[in-house]
Amino acid sequence: MSEQKERLIVTVQQHILQQQQQFPDAGGVFSWLLSGITLATKMIQAKVRRAGLLDILGDAGEVNVQGETQQKLDIYANEAVHHCLGIRDSVAQLVSEENEEPRSFDGREDAKYIVVFDPLDGSSNIDVNVSVGTTFAVLRRSAGAKGPEAALQPGHQQVAAGYVVYGSSTILVYTTGRGVYGFTLDPAVGAYVLSHDDIKMPPHGDIYSVNEAYIDDFPDVYQRYITGLRRGTFGRRYKSRYIGSMVSDFHRTLLKGGVFLYPPTHSHAEGKLRLLYEANPMAFIAEQAGGKAIDGRRRVLDVQPHSIHQRTPLILGSREEVETFERLRDEG
Ligand code: P6P
């Protein structure tokens, strides 16, 4: 008998059920909700994988709430998430990057959860075959909370968060506050299989990730930080990688360490990334993996949102690289 160790196949559904035990009050509701997200991402990846063959490349001629030209895949992805989660009666409200207002569901007074999501992040890269992703976070709904205020919760109240990166393979990464786990979609069986058990971000890295074309727009401390990384003045040599798709840049940072940042610019004084469904889910995952995530001044997860589509500056990654920024900032 070969000594080859029998690899235990753990699907994301099995893993969610194991995690489920920490939500005794949920009684399977929580895992049923998360299965809606995994189903939607399987539908999305099937389209992303065939984007060049189906008539869903290019823009749909619409502009979304962010003022960004909507790609046809954006619209499909948004509809897929709305459909798969909308039929879960534990969902009280859905907040999407693609929709100005939250979607609430009549007759669901007992529904416990709110899901905030970006159905297809990085969609401007679709036509050039660069990885894109879906991001999501799950919040508890306070009793009787309605309207946009219900979702205006600081990130440390997230019950779960995750993303799917549609890259060379389709990988789902999520946390429920008990560590970070990655699952690779096995197309042969159509199941997400555990491939990254208990992910830990390296304490430091050798990659920094920022759109350096805007460096003259960044506030001074960011310019000094990026210049220091590039010149190796913080005691380590770095290389630069920037895909322009946050989920992909984050996923690499999670696995290899280093830092990803989107500072304030003249055109985006509060940064470009959205707090609720981009920065907060990534910050939750980064911290659960041993990294850090700040908005330049404070922990991202402590920020009290004032609107569902608000933006935030973001610096996240390995503890050492983020703390280097904080030291530079505090030196004045
Ligand atoms: P820029 C994609 O449109 C996105 O929202 C993020 O995925 C990405 O990190 C960022 O914008 C890229 O923005 O200004 O560098 O092109």
Side-chain angles (χ1 to χ4, degrees), residues 68 97 118 121-125 211 214 242 244-247 249 260 262 272-274 278:
E68 293 160 349
E97 192 235 14
D118 183 354
D121 172 72
S123 52
S124 51
N125 294 303
N211 190 332
Y214 306 150
Y242 190 70
S245 179
M246 179 201 67
V247 174
D249 282 317
F260 166 75
Y262 204 109
K272 177 181 182 186
L273 302 176
R274 270 74 65 165
E278 289 178 342

Side-chain angles (χ1 to χ4, degrees), residues 15-31 34 112-113 138-140 157-161 174-178 284:
H15 197 267
I16 290 169
L17 283 169
Q18 289 160 11
Q19 298 275 312
Q20 164 84 37
Q21 276 126 39
Q22 67 171 312
F23 301 100
D25 63 324
V29 161
F30 185 69
S31 49
L34 284 185
K112 292 198 179 85
Y113 298 107
V138 180
L139 301 164
R140 280 199 180 84
Q157 290 179 201
Q158 292 174 112
V159 173
Y174 90 111
T175 183
T176 60
R178 292 277 188 88
F284 189 14

Side-chain angles (χ1 to χ4, degrees), residues 9 12 14 19-20 61-62 78 91 101 109 121 132 138 158 194 197 200 236 250-251 273 278 286 294 300:
I9 298 289
V12 69
Q14 288 163 329
Q19 298 275 312
Q20 164 84 37
E62 312 283 324
N78 194 40
V91 173
E101 298 302 327
E109 282 61 39
D121 172 72
V132 291
V138 180
Q158 292 174 112
L194 182 66
D197 194 4
K200 291 299 174 207
R236 211 178 284 287
F250 176 77
H251 188 63
L273 302 176
E278 289 178 342
I294 61 174
V300 169

